[in-house]
Amino acid sequence: MSILIKPIITEKATADSELNNRYSFVVDNKANKIEIKDAVESAYGVSVSKIRTINVRPDRKTRYTKSGMITGKTKAYKKALVQVAEGETIDLYSNL
């Protein structure tokens, strides 16, 4: 199974990549920082200087409808913030 699932492309993540050279990825829940670093370096050909990981909790919602109360939740995932070395960039839009 692949360590990197997909890059996170939002306004906040794009601004962070332009200003601080930091990129966000959704990664496998069981991956550690060393595995994430090796996967990013091999996939994009850059040198990684720092990695921060976050376990994102699921959001729970409850709605009251005509047929009764409906509950649901989103999926939990792990997010990695990858700091790339100065002067290097990752082109996330090249393979779209």
Side-chain angles (χ1 to χ4, degrees), residues 9-28:
I9 302 173
T10 59
E11 288 184 27
K12 186 176 182 179
T14 305
D16 205 22
S17 66
E18 291 172 356
L19 297 175
N20 300 324
N21 222 12
R22 192 178 305 138
Y23 298 90
S24 303
F25 295 95
V26 176
V27 295
D28 185 27

Side-chain angles (χ1 to χ4, degrees), residues 54-70:
I54 304 160
N55 286 317
V56 179
R57 64 178 172 76
D59 289 332
R60 293 175 172 25
K61 284 188 177 179
T62 303
R63 290 188 315 208
Y64 298 99
T65 62
K66 187 188 283 188
S67 62
M69 189 169 69
I70 298 174

Side-chain angles (χ1 to χ4, degrees), residues 76-94:
Y77 61 94
K78 189 171 196 175
K79 180 165 60 171
L81 297 172
V82 178
Q83 178 87 31
V84 178
E86 194 68 34
E88 295 184 353
T89 58
I90 295 175
D91 188 17
L92 298 175
Y93 302 104
S94 63

Side-chain angles (χ1 to χ4, degrees), residues 33-73:
K33 291 183 180 183
I34 298 166
E35 294 171 345
I36 295 168
K37 180 179 179 180
D38 292 339
V40 170
E41 286 178 347
S42 66
Y44 295 103
V46 295
S47 60
V48 175
S49 61
K50 187 176 183 180
I51 291 184
R52 288 185 270 172
T53 58
I54 304 160
N55 286 317
V56 179
R57 64 178 172 76
D59 289 332
R60 293 175 172 25
K61 284 188 177 179
T62 303
R63 290 188 315 208
Y64 298 99
T65 62
K66 187 188 283 188
S67 62
M69 189 169 69
I70 298 174
T71 59
K73 67 174 187 159

